[in-house]
Amino acid sequence: MYNDRPHPLLAQIPLTVSPFISLPSAPTLPYTYKPLPSTLPPSATADGNGNEREKIVVSQSGHAASPEDIIASCQALQDHIQKLHEDAERTIREWEDNLREEELAEKRRVAPGWLDREEKILQPAKVAAGSSVDGQGQSANIMDQQAEDSSRATMQQPVPTREGDELDRAFGSMTMR
């Protein structure tokens, strides 16, 4: 190393002589310097057969890739975006379901039992004039028939037409002082 002869690799570098350029001195190699082996391991860009894939596409930053690599990365990106989209839709669906459940719970709190039945409009059951208690067309008891007739008579009282008469009937008549 300390002899005057340069290393064979350094001897291959051409030198130019110019008055405007000051040439650097020759670098000294460390004692631990070892030349590269003549056989290198297989390239990382080679496929399984040892054939190197052609890097056709080169970006502005200098990164080179083969079309297969670009297609694979695009497919991975598309899969990732699809997964994010499905996650977002599932989150929105869960949120809407929670809102519906909260509204239903509030309605059940306000009117318990109302939403749990099919019949929504409450109407009184209509009883026909000739119907009876046992449902065979004849009265079960004559007293029951007389009670029904008297209740019908009290229900058919004439309705007063004036508001004052209604008030007198409800609160009794009052005399003016």
Side-chain angles (χ1 to χ4, degrees), residues 132-138:
S132 62
V133 177
D134 60 1
Q136 297 175 354
Q138 299 176 355

Side-chain angles (χ1 to χ4, degrees), residues 71-85:
I71 291 171
S73 68
C74 288
Q75 185 64 36
L77 179 63
Q78 187 177 10
D79 293 342
H80 179 69
I81 291 173
Q82 181 67 26
K83 181 180 176 269
L84 289 177
H85 182 69

Side-chain angles (χ1 to χ4, degrees), residues 28 75 83 89 109 121 126 136 141 143 147 153 155-156 162 167:
T28 57
Q75 185 64 36
K83 181 180 176 269
E89 283 182 350
R109 187 187 67 77
I121 299 174
K126 297 181 180 177
Q136 297 175 354
N141 192 350
M143 294 298 288
M155 293 173 90
Q156 295 176 354
R162 294 180 47 203
L167 289 173

